[in-house]
Amino acid sequence: MNVRISRSLGMVAVLYFTANFNAQNTKSDTLPKEQKIEEVVMIGYGTQKKSNVTGAISSIKASDIEAIPAGKPEQVLQGRAAGVNVISNSGQPGSNATIRVRGVTSYSSNNDPLWVVDGIVVDGIGWLSQSDIESIEVLKDGASSAIYGVSAARGVILVTTKKGKRGKLSLSYNGFFGVSNAARKLDLLDATEYATVINEGFANDGQAIRFQNPASFGKGTDWQDEIFGTGERQNHEISIQGGNEKSTYFASFGYYDQTGIVMSDISYYKRLTGRLNSTHKVTDWLTVGQTFAYTHQKNQGINANGEFGGPLSSAVNLDPITPVVVTDWSQVNPALYTNEHIVRDENGNPYGISPYVNQEMSNPRAFRYTQLGNSNWSDDFIGNVFAEVKFLDHFTFKSSLNGKKAYWGNQNFTPLFYLSATYSNLLLNSLSRTTQNKFEWSFENTLNYQNKFGDHSLNVLLGTGYYDYNIGDGQSVTHKGLPISNYEDASFNFEVPLANQTSSAWDNQEWNKASYFGRLIYDFKNKYLFTGTLRYDGSSLFGADNHWGIFPSFSLGWNVDKENFWPENNVINSLKFRGGYGTLGNDGIEAYKFSKFYISGANYTSGSGGVLIGYLQNGLENKDLKWETTTQTNIAADLRLFKNFTLTVDVYDKKTSDILRPVQIPGYVGVTGSYIANIGDMSNKGIEVELGYKKTWNDFTFSVNTNFAYNKNEVLSLEQGTKYLDGAGFQSMGPIQRIVVGDSYNSFYGFKTLGVFQNQAQINAYVNSKGQMLQTDAKPGDFIWADSNGDGVIDDLDKVNLGSSIPKYNFGATLNLSYKNWDFMVFGQGAGGNKIFQGLRRLDMLDANYQTKILDRWTGEGSTNENPRLTRADGNKNYSRLSDWYLQKGDYFRIKLIQLGYTLPQDVTQNFGVNKLRFYITAENLVTFTKYTGYDPEIAAGDSFGIDRAFYPQARTFMLGANITF
């Protein structure tokens, strides 16, 4: 299917006003020259003086992030922009972060912000070299984001890359090398403790114990020591820039390489980047230019947050009695090691196989063998060309053609192996390869009028755009039974029988969008400020009756300190009030869900034994499907206090209506796909505070910048008759999160405990209003379940809200000190107000290892009122029900970065042709203050926050680096 918007892309007469950016020198100017240079921020299709900005925009400059050794560039936002919640998806090399701007906006459609790099809309910036970034602006409120219309409800992040500067050629190098290790490990039972605890579980259930002499096992195997090691990280970037009055250029080349702290040969990330930006002034009225970037990425990863196998989950669950490598056959059951495909070490000794813990759990060292040689890769080409024409003194016309071509895929080799009776591949090895490609392009034209007359400043912008997305295809092939035994020899050049070959191919579903937009910014004497924006968007993701939507906004500002009545004082040096309102959209759904169409897959066998190709309807038609709408009000104040303090406070109210989400279809309807509809409302309300201080005394400079953001998320409505929607689940517990009206999105729902039964009399006395026992299967040492709804029965209706999975607040603080040639920085960030579900242990594996918390179990009357007794039968469901016992506070504060640098004096470096030479040492993730007992309290997986299934922790890293400029 290919639906296109046929409406023409003519100009719409919408005005846009902006301030005059030229510094004005008058006789009354008394400030030093350096204080008169005003900061300019990107606002989408233009720039504006920060003092005249009326929207909520957080700006981060190159100087703020150039010293941060982030693996992915989006991670530099963490803790530096109020209202921007950045949560690690994993500590695995190359892992992205989950970013939410002023909360979660939608139930199930895309909640990621809109990324715009040099005017090009992209799906993330993981391909971008951090050193190429000149600035990052986050458009947070409706007034500033509405210029991007139907894609702006999730927030907009503008990234500007570096451009060349006039002057002689400048060559720069920035690089570092570091080593990493695990900042913390779990407290797991050793072999003696494990055997003792397992025995107790059998005894409590009236069964014979398994281990006759637990002390004979000693400490046993520490599986965490087997998976955690030293990771390495290195980065090298070279940039060249220069130019003259006619042409400027900036070119860069970068290499980044990181290995993980968990089995580094199967957990790594590599990136190669190249960039060329140039601008050429052909005549006084014509300027042309381009940006171009290429990125190659390659990585391999383990199951970074999953309880079903992988090194981390196996290390947590495997019993410590099983050896890593079998060298003493008297300690194991030889019958487990008879298969010819058992994995062995370099000395021919088999890797240990647990007789107690199996299924997907396996010896991590043996598992590593099955993963060698597997990898994912991508090649991204991104760029644009533009022409800018100036005419009639105040008019500028700009035309820009933008494009992105992406190739990506993976290759996997599965050898023959035997890891356990439940985890093996004994028939055929296999080699699989998948390749995909995608092309996206856009064409934008803007006409800008800018003028200053008297006390009035005026700027008018008109624009149109056309955007084409997801043009591409993919293919996958698998060959089985290759005549080889290792991944180094794997190749599709080997011939295998047709029966051992499978392949598939597909075409992407292309979609497109057209837009008309404009903006009006006006100021009078830099006192009274007004911004008005209007965008008219059409999207082929919706039906013909709902292609088009209008997204207006406005904002006002008042620089009070510029009034004649404002007295000069040393307390409040400047004061600006601002406020705005805007309407935003979200079209983050799969293509053409408004329509019914047919897919293959309904094949059936004819009477003669042949296969007839069949098709079936996938989904139901919804002609009324339209974009989500988010309205947002923002009120704020910007102050400068005591000359050296800056304070910004924003208060916002953000409501999303007509939320796009799938609706369950009864099976009797006869369709297999989901039905997408506009059902539900949600709100986010919050406050953001940014406080800064900077002071210089002779050779000493001190500055500190802090930010704090609080967000209250609330589900306002679901479809009629629906009490809640299920969220993420966990093993046999079923769903552990719910979307419930009145609660925050994906709150934890489970049973509340009232302590532990200490004796049978207490169990007998726990009755309902009819005198009936509430927990007939309970025994002393079992949890007391709360009858939360008071109906006299303990069942699923007693599940209650146990806490929010989303942090309610986040904060960050940066301290900078410099004295002569020395510089020092400390950066910390944190979050809190949320709960974390710790699901590290497999519920279906009764012999899985425990954390040492189990040593505080109930062992008799009065021993504890917090932890239940050990039992394998678990008749009271102490362990198999989600309860508040599984939840912990997710609050944390992390010393994210400490850096000490020294710049050699110029009179020394100039002797050997160097303009600047700086060395630095850095410590990353040095210490985390938290009460959470898992690996890492910072946990996200898209919008499923706070579920720890054996989370790959962020590494503690120490680095040595240098900055050199010639």
Side-chain angles (χ1 to χ4, degrees):
M1 177 177 288
N2 189 8
V3 179
R4 289 186 175 273
I5 300 171
S6 60
R7 189 167 300 198
S8 64
L9 298 178
M11 289 295 209
V12 174
V14 181
L15 300 180
Y16 158 20
F17 297 88
T18 190
N20 184 349
F21 300 145
N22 296 322
Q24 303 295 313
N25 293 317
T26 69
K27 293 182 179 180
S28 62
D29 284 347
T30 58
L31 293 176
K33 182 178 180 180
E34 63 270 19
Q35 290 185 322
K36 287 185 285 187
I37 300 175
E38 292 206 50
E39 183 179 350
V40 174
V41 298
M42 299 296 299
I43 56 174
Y45 302 100
T47 59
Q48 190 176 16
K49 287 190 299 185
K50 187 174 182 179
S51 61
N52 284 355
V53 168
T54 54
I57 301 177
S58 289
S59 180
I60 302 171
K61 302 301 182 185
S63 58
D64 300 322
I65 62 176
E66 59 188 4
I68 302 170
K72 284 295 187 78
E74 67 267 22
Q75 294 170 349
V76 302
L77 288 168
Q78 187 175 50
R80 289 177 173 83
V84 182
N85 197 7
V86 181
I87 304 178
S88 172
N89 288 341
S90 167
Q92 187 158 251
S95 176
N96 296 319
T98 293
I99 299 179
R100 297 292 177 259
V101 178
R102 290 187 168 179
V104 175
T105 303
S106 183
Y107 295 161
S108 55
S109 64
N110 190 354
N111 275 299
D112 295 331
L114 178 71
W115 293 92
V116 183
V117 179
D118 292 329
I120 308 170
V121 174
V122 294
D123 50 355
I125 59 171
W127 51 271
L128 186 62
S129 172
Q130 179 183 320
S131 293
D132 289 345
I133 297 175
E134 181 66 30
S135 68
I136 301 176
E137 272 81 21
V138 185
L139 313 184
K140 298 183 292 187
D141 67 328
S144 59
S145 301
I147 190 67
Y148 289 99
V150 76
S151 302
R154 304 156 295 183
V156 180
I157 302 180
L158 308 178
V159 180
T160 304
T161 61
K162 294 178 179 178
K163 308 298 187 294
K165 298 177 182 179
R166 287 184 292 179
K168 68 176 185 178
L169 182 146
S170 175
L171 174 65
S172 298
Y173 166 81
N174 179 31
F176 61 79
F177 177 82
V179 292
S180 307
N181 56 38
R184 72 158 48 169
K185 295 181 181 179
L186 300 181
D187 293 325
L188 299 174
L189 300 182
D190 64 25
T192 296
E193 293 168 335
Y194 169 82
T196 302
V197 164
I198 294 297
N199 279 350
E200 187 174 320
F202 277 105
N204 286 344
D205 292 341
Q207 302 178 39
I209 63 173
R210 173 181 290 168
F211 304 107
Q212 299 305 314
N213 184 12
S216 65
F217 295 116
K219 293 292 184 180
T221 301
D222 187 334
W223 289 107
Q224 293 183 98
D225 284 348
E226 298 304 317
I227 66 167
F228 285 114
T230 300
E232 295 184 353
R233 188 194 302 188
Q234 60 178 311
N235 182 67
H236 306 281
E237 295 173 322
I238 297 175
S239 63
I240 304 172
Q241 65 173 317
N244 52 37
E245 293 183 355
K246 292 292 185 180
S247 297
T248 59
Y249 58 89
F250 173 87
S252 69
F253 310 91
Y255 172 72
Y256 181 89
D257 186 356
Q258 181 181 3
T259 57
I261 58 173
V262 179
M263 313 200 78
S264 59
D265 50 357
I266 59 171
S267 177
Y268 64 85
Y269 172 70
K270 302 176 185 292
R271 182 180 67 220
L272 287 169
T273 60
R275 170 170 293 277
L276 175 62
N277 295 345
S278 68
T279 303
H280 311 280
K281 191 173 183 180
V282 181
T283 68
D284 290 339
W285 54 269
L286 174 62
T287 300
V288 299
Q290 55 77 226
T291 66
F292 173 78
Y294 165 72
T295 302
H296 172 74
Q297 300 177 82
K298 184 178 181 180
N299 73 289
Q300 183 180 1
I302 64 171
N303 191 345
N305 190 23
E307 71 269 36
F308 298 110
L312 274 163
S313 185
S314 294
V316 173
N317 284 277
L318 280 173
D319 64 275
I321 294 176
T322 299
V324 179
V325 178
V326 177
T327 56
D328 183 355
W329 288 96
S330 66
Q331 301 298 317
V332 299
N333 179 3
L336 297 175
Y337 300 88
T338 58
N339 192 280
E340 63 176 311
H341 297 300
I342 194 169
V343 182
R344 300 175 182 271
D345 70 1
E346 60 275 10
N347 297 317
N349 297 313
Y351 286 105
I353 299 173
S354 173
Y356 313 115
V357 182
N358 42 52
Q359 295 187 40
E360 304 89 356
M361 301 302 164
S362 61
N363 188 316
R365 290 296 174 186
F367 172 82
R368 163 190 166 276
Y369 165 78
T370 70
Q371 304 298 303
L372 291 173
N374 299 342
S375 64
N376 306 296
W377 61 271
S378 66
D379 288 297
D380 295 286
F381 301 84
I382 301 172
N384 72 354
V385 292
F386 67 88
E388 189 175 86
V389 178
K390 294 185 177 181
F391 60 98
L392 298 178
D393 293 333
H394 303 292
F395 288 90
T396 302
F397 176 78
K398 184 176 181 179
S399 186
S400 179
L401 180 63
N402 315 304
K404 176 181 179 180
K405 181 68 173 179
Y407 301 88
W408 71 98
N410 59 72
Q411 181 162 306
N412 298 286
F413 175 70
T414 303
L416 297 175
F417 65 85
Y418 180 89
L419 301 184
S420 71
T422 57
Y423 194 6
S424 63
N425 179 46
L426 305 178
L427 299 178
L428 297 171
N429 63 24
S430 64
L431 177 65
S432 300
R433 179 182 296 162
T434 299
T435 59
Q436 300 183 68
N437 71 88
K438 180 173 67 174
F439 176 60
E440 298 181 341
W441 67 278
S442 63
F443 183 52
E444 292 184 322
N445 296 278
T446 59
L447 178 64
N448 193 67
Y449 171 79
Q450 181 173 320
N451 196 6
K452 182 175 177 66
F453 42 94
D455 294 326
H456 307 272
S457 292
L458 177 68
N459 188 293
V460 180
L461 175 76
L462 307 174
T464 65
Y466 178 79
Y467 314 86
D468 216 342
Y469 300 97
N470 207 34
I471 307 168
D473 53 52
Q475 47 276 322
S476 179
V477 60
T478 299
H479 283 188
K480 295 183 177 181
L482 279 67
I484 59 170
S485 59
N486 58 74
Y487 74 92
E488 292 99 334
D489 298 327
S491 171
F492 286 100
N493 291 329
F494 292 109
E495 292 189 10
V496 298
L498 289 177
N500 291 348
Q501 301 179 28
T502 58
S503 62
S504 62
W506 58 92
D507 294 316
N508 295 353
Q509 291 184 321
E510 178 185 352
W511 62 280
N512 49 78
K513 185 167 65 177
S515 301
Y516 307 85
F517 53 88
R519 182 172 49 203
L520 181 154
I521 301 178
Y522 166 79
D523 79 72
F524 176 71
K525 290 186 176 182
N526 288 328
K527 296 180 188 178
Y528 312 117
L529 316 170
F530 172 78
T531 301
T533 302
L534 183 67
R535 182 149 179 151
Y536 187 49
D537 270 340
S539 173
S540 67
L541 294 175
F542 305 111
D545 295 337
N546 292 301
H547 273 329
W548 294 89
I550 299 176
F551 303 96
S553 76
F554 74 91
S555 57
L556 301 169
W558 179 25
N559 280 316
V560 183
D561 58 286
K562 296 186 183 297
E563 295 286 0
N564 293 330
F565 62 76
W566 184 262
E568 290 189 12
N569 64 87
N570 294 322
V571 180
I572 302 178
N573 311 119
S574 67
L575 172 64
K576 178 173 69 175
F577 293 115
R578 51 186 170 85
Y581 175 87
T583 301
L584 311 168
N586 183 11
D587 60 350
I589 58 173
E590 295 180 37
Y592 313 122
K593 284 297 184 179
F594 64 86
S595 177
K596 63 178 180 181
F597 51 97
Y598 295 86
I599 61 172
S600 60
N603 304 337
Y604 61 96
T605 304
S606 66
S608 60
V611 177
L612 299 179
I613 304 299
Y615 295 84
L616 75 163
Q617 185 175 326
N618 182 37
L620 296 177
E621 185 176 24
N622 182 3
K623 293 183 178 180
D624 296 325
L625 191 68
K626 60 182 179 181
W627 53 86
E628 290 178 5
T629 300
T630 297
T631 58
Q632 188 174 174
T633 302
N634 193 89
I635 300 174
D638 303 318
L639 299 89
R640 179 175 290 277
L641 306 168
F642 306 105
K643 295 185 179 180
N644 301 111
F645 287 92
T646 58
L647 174 65
T648 295
V649 180
D650 283 82
V651 179
Y652 63 88
D653 187 345
K654 178 179 177 183
K655 181 181 178 181
T656 303
S657 303
D658 298 322
I659 289 178
L660 291 162
R661 68 175 190 81
V663 180
Q664 291 183 348
I665 303 175
Y668 59 76
V669 175
V671 298
T672 61
S674 59
Y675 173 74
I676 303 295
N678 297 97
I679 300 177
D681 303 284
M682 184 159 55
S683 78
N684 288 276
K685 298 178 181 180
I687 183 171
E688 300 164 357
V689 180
E690 295 181 351
L691 177 63
Y693 174 81
K694 185 174 183 180
K695 180 72 173 179
T696 299
W697 300 271
N698 297 323
D699 295 327
F700 180 75
T701 299
F702 171 88
S703 70
V704 60
N705 292 285
T706 63
N707 65 80
F708 174 87
Y710 172 82
N711 178 272
K712 180 184 179 183
N713 175 272
E714 183 180 359
V715 177
L716 299 179
S717 70
L718 298 169
E719 62 260 44
Q720 188 174 2
T722 299
K723 294 182 178 180
Y724 61 86
L725 301 174
D726 286 328
F730 183 79
Q731 298 178 32
S732 59
M733 286 183 179
I736 61 175
Q737 292 180 336
R738 286 180 180 177
I739 303 173
V740 181
V741 174
D743 293 337
S744 67
Y745 175 80
N746 269 351
S747 293
F748 290 110
Y749 263 75
F751 292 88
K752 196 169 183 179
T753 60
L754 300 177
V756 174
F757 287 119
Q758 300 297 317
N759 49 54
Q760 187 62 44
Q762 191 177 1
I763 297 173
N764 296 338
Y766 190 44
V767 297
N768 59 23
S769 59
K770 298 179 181 179
Q772 300 169 329
M773 291 177 57
L774 283 172
Q775 293 180 233
T776 56
D777 295 326
K779 295 182 178 180
D782 284 339
F783 275 135
I784 306 171
W785 302 117
D787 181 15
S788 299
N789 66 350
D791 65 355
V793 180
I794 305 298
D795 57 18
D796 280 356
L797 296 178
D798 291 307
K799 290 183 177 181
V800 295
N801 186 346
L802 300 176
S804 172
S805 64
I806 305 173
K808 290 183 172 65
Y809 58 87
N810 57 82
F811 54 91
T814 304
L815 169 68
N816 284 283
L817 303 174
S818 65
Y819 177 70
K820 294 185 177 180
N821 294 334
W822 293 92
D823 61 86
F824 178 73
M825 177 183 68
V826 179
F827 167 60
Q829 59 83 215
N834 62 305
K835 293 292 184 66
I836 297 176
F837 169 77
Q838 192 174 96
L840 299 174
R841 189 173 187 270
R842 281 286 292 270
L843 301 176
D844 56 341
M845 295 182 179
L846 301 182
D847 294 317
N849 201 6
Y850 294 86
Q851 294 184 64
T852 55
K853 174 184 178 180
I854 201 67
L855 299 178
D856 295 326
R857 66 202 178 279
W858 187 91
T859 56
E861 188 168 347
S863 57
T864 179
N865 198 39
E866 295 180 1
N867 303 311
R869 68 189 178 99
L870 281 165
T871 170
R872 299 172 68 84
D874 198 22
N876 193 56
K877 299 182 180 180
N878 298 323
Y879 299 99
S880 57
R881 274 179 173 166
L882 172 63
S883 67
D884 47 15
W885 187 70
Y886 276 102
L887 298 178
Q888 298 182 27
K889 289 184 177 180
D891 304 52
Y892 74 93
F893 173 67
R894 174 172 285 151
I895 304 297
K896 189 72 177 178
L897 205 68
I898 295 180
Q899 186 173 101
L900 176 65
Y902 178 75
T903 303
L904 270 66
Q906 276 197 336
D907 56 357
V908 175
T909 60
Q910 286 178 350
N911 292 330
F912 43 93
V914 176
N915 291 331
K916 180 181 178 180
L917 176 56
R918 175 178 177 266
F919 297 100
Y920 60 90
I921 55 175
T922 301
E924 184 183 44
N925 297 324
L926 188 62
V927 62
T928 301
F929 301 95
T930 182
K931 292 184 178 180
Y932 181 63
T933 61
Y935 285 122
D936 195 329
E938 186 184 332
I939 301 173
D943 288 322
S944 182
F945 298 92
I947 301 179
D948 189 351
R949 307 172 188 268
F951 187 75
Y952 195 129
Q954 297 184 64
R956 179 170 49 200
T957 307
F958 299 92
M959 288 162 280
L960 176 65
N963 306 118
I964 308 173
T965 302
F966 297 91

